[in-house]
Amino acid sequence: MNMTSKSAQFAALIGIDWASQRHALCLYDCATAKRESSILEHTPEAIAQWARGLQERFKGKKIALCLEQSKGPLIYALLEYPFFVLYPINPATAARYRMAFKTSRAKDDPSDAQVCLELVLHHREKLNPWLPHDAPTRELSCLLQHRRAAVDLRTLLTNMLRDALKSYYPQALELAAQDLFAPLGCQFLLKWPSLQELHKARKESVRKFYYAHNCRRMDVIEKRLDAIAQMTPLCRDLALLEPAMVQVRMLARQLLQLGGALKEYDSKIEQLFAQHSDALIWESFPGAGPTLAPRLACAFGTQRSRYQSAVAIQQYSGTAPVTEKSGKNQHWVHRRWARPHFTHQSFFEYASQSVLHCSWANALSQGTDGAWQSLSHRHPRPGLQVAAHHVRVLARPRPLR
């Protein structure tokens, strides 16, 4: 098959090496078989002008565009133009393709754009065009990923707060009760950021504080008040105390704001998922619940043609094992390193929850299924087996609603 027939469905092919400020482009005109190199500034105005120029030049025909990005500002900008067919590739794919012909490892932006063009020009049958989810699923997916990032940030700030308290005020870890990031803990530290400040407070003030924050067991409160009276400061050096208290107040305020933001995320996610077309399907899965059901819905989307088999979604998410074999003795089975981490994480977390709510999943995790016992020798982690089996069930074709 010659180059013209392979590119007949597109008016042009473009390889892009994207960057934060400017993008290197390499365009292949399928009618003339000529290549053009250029630089595109990363501004909304420049991208819009460039896209409209291509639309006029090629009369609105389809244009294949290959780039090392599956999400980000450039992808979001290109979504506005339906005549673009995007072929996102893994950066490792482009790097190894380049090294196959340039063993010196020499590289620059224009040559990287040419590499992307070569991939979409000569190997397009091995690439998958990017199929965006419908708008409600994309919005829900963004909210879920942002919420997860906020939870990770909360964990980081909580660990920083715990370390700061251990250095001068370890008693607060017990007095704040439960989680440090909870409103009770943060408000307690903002009110009494050191043991010296706490000793100045009246017992009635401390008692009212606990009572106002839904800690109303009087025996527990009195026990804490007696413990406070007997506590001794770990550090009395003001040169250390003052900076530490400033840090603790800062972290407590941030955690309070994050708590409010997470409540807003949860409210919005619940509202969107209730309106999702596949909500009833994913709510029916054992152990999914209000947290994991929306994540499963976003992982699969509403386009039934996205994954042709269970193997496809297993390979994409990284739950399918990867075998590396060389010679007679070298045989290694591992997980896929390059994978969408949020989707991968969602499947594993759902697998662990399904064990608690589904009898066959629990039996599978215990290795009682003979069909899976042979696999357990290669995969000693039961979670991988459960995840793989659940994904196989989840990816079965479902009728259109």
Side-chain angles (χ1 to χ4, degrees):
M1 185 180 295
N2 58 36
M3 203 72 65
T4 303
S5 58
K6 288 178 66 175
S7 305
Q9 58 179 312
F10 295 108
L13 310 176
I14 301 176
I16 296 184
D17 181 67
W18 69 276
S20 58
Q21 296 182 348
R22 57 182 62 187
H23 314 295
L25 309 178
C26 187
L27 182 146
Y28 176 84
D29 190 329
C30 297
T32 62
K34 293 183 178 180
R35 301 191 181 193
E36 306 170 10
S37 297
S38 60
I39 297 294
L40 175 64
E41 296 291 333
H42 183 69
T43 64
E45 296 77 14
I47 294 174
Q49 182 179 1
W50 169 74
R52 287 194 297 267
L54 290 177
Q55 187 176 19
E56 294 176 3
R57 174 180 173 181
F58 296 105
K59 300 179 180 179
K61 295 181 180 179
K62 296 291 185 181
I63 297 176
L65 198 151
C66 182
L67 70 168
E68 302 173 24
Q69 191 181 46
S70 59
K71 62 180 180 180
L74 182 58
I75 286 282
Y76 303 150
L78 296 176
L79 278 177
E80 299 293 326
Y81 307 98
F83 58 89
F84 283 133
V85 179
L86 305 181
Y87 286 86
I89 60 173
N90 193 297
T93 301
R96 288 169 181 159
Y97 187 90
R98 180 180 62 250
M99 289 177 59
F101 301 99
K102 291 186 178 180
T103 56
S104 65
R105 297 176 181 265
K107 70 182 292 294
D108 60 3
D109 293 346
S111 64
D112 286 351
Q114 292 182 22
V115 167
C116 292
L117 176 61
E118 293 289 337
L119 285 169
V120 75
L121 181 61
H122 300 293
H123 306 284
R124 191 167 65 254
E125 68 280 358
K126 297 180 181 179
L127 303 178
N128 295 319
W130 190 60
L131 299 175
H133 292 297
D134 58 284
T137 303
R138 292 203 308 271
E139 183 179 1
L140 184 60
S141 179
C142 288
L143 284 170
L144 289 166
Q145 294 187 50
H146 293 170
R147 184 192 182 278
R148 186 62 189 227
V151 171
D152 292 339
L153 178 58
R154 185 181 66 180
T155 302
L156 173 63
L157 294 176
T158 303
N159 291 336
M160 293 175 61
L161 180 59
R162 183 176 291 109
D163 290 341
L165 291 173
K166 286 180 179 179
S167 67
Y168 82 102
Y169 191 15
Q171 297 91 340
L173 299 176
E174 178 183 354
L175 297 174
Q178 297 181 349
D179 297 315
L180 279 178
F181 57 77
L184 187 151
C186 294
Q187 294 289 359
F188 184 92
L189 293 172
L190 288 173
K191 195 173 185 67
W192 300 297
S194 70
L195 187 59
Q196 289 85 340
E197 295 290 332
L198 183 59
H199 279 164
K200 295 177 184 179
R202 296 184 299 110
K203 283 189 175 182
E204 186 61 27
S205 298
V206 180
R207 187 181 290 109
K208 288 181 178 180
F209 173 86
Y210 280 120
Y211 197 82
H213 288 81
N214 296 321
C215 181
R216 298 178 179 178
R217 285 187 55 182
M218 297 309 299
D219 56 333
V220 174
I221 295 176
E222 293 301 325
K223 184 178 179 179
R224 288 177 182 169
L225 291 175
D226 294 340
I228 290 172
Q230 299 176 7
M231 289 177 179
T232 301
L234 178 66
C235 175
R236 300 179 186 272
D237 186 357
L238 292 179
L240 298 176
L241 285 177
E242 291 297 335
M245 286 191 290
V246 172
Q247 183 186 23
V248 164
R249 290 193 189 98
M250 174 197 70
L251 294 172
R253 293 190 187 99
Q254 288 179 304
L255 286 170
L256 280 175
Q257 290 183 342
L258 272 176
L262 285 171
K263 289 182 180 179
E264 185 178 355
Y265 275 125
D266 290 337
S267 175
K268 188 66 175 177
I269 289 170
E270 182 181 2
Q271 178 184 353
L272 281 177
F273 185 62
Q275 302 171 0
H276 197 275
S277 58
D278 287 347
L280 292 178
I281 296 176
W282 302 111
E283 287 174 341
S284 67
F285 278 73
T291 300
L292 290 171
R295 292 170 63 174
L296 293 175
C298 292
F300 285 90
T302 56
Q303 297 181 13
R304 307 305 188 216
S305 61
R306 179 179 295 273
Y307 304 111
Q308 299 299 322
S309 64
V311 174
I313 180 61
Q314 285 181 276
Q315 292 174 342
Y316 171 74
S317 63
T319 59
V322 176
T323 302
E324 293 189 22
K325 189 173 182 180
S326 177
K328 295 182 178 180
N329 300 322
Q330 296 185 4
H331 184 197
W332 183 34
V333 180
H334 60 86
R335 70 176 62 185
R336 178 186 172 192
W337 309 125
R339 60 188 185 274
H341 290 274
F342 187 70
T343 302
H344 179 87
Q345 186 182 55
S346 298
F347 287 154
F348 266 82
E349 291 182 1
Y350 172 64
S352 64
Q353 288 298 314
S354 67
V355 171
L356 306 176
H357 298 83
C358 184
S359 58
W360 64 260
N362 184 36
L364 192 64
S365 68
Q366 300 298 327
T368 56
D369 190 321
W372 286 83
Q373 285 181 353
S374 60
L375 184 62
S376 65
H377 296 297
R378 290 182 291 170
H379 306 288
R381 295 180 58 188
L384 182 58
Q385 303 173 26
V386 178
H389 194 63
H390 267 296
V391 172
R392 182 175 288 106
V393 174
L394 292 173
R396 288 174 181 168
R398 305 185 298 276
L400 292 173
R401 298 184 60 185

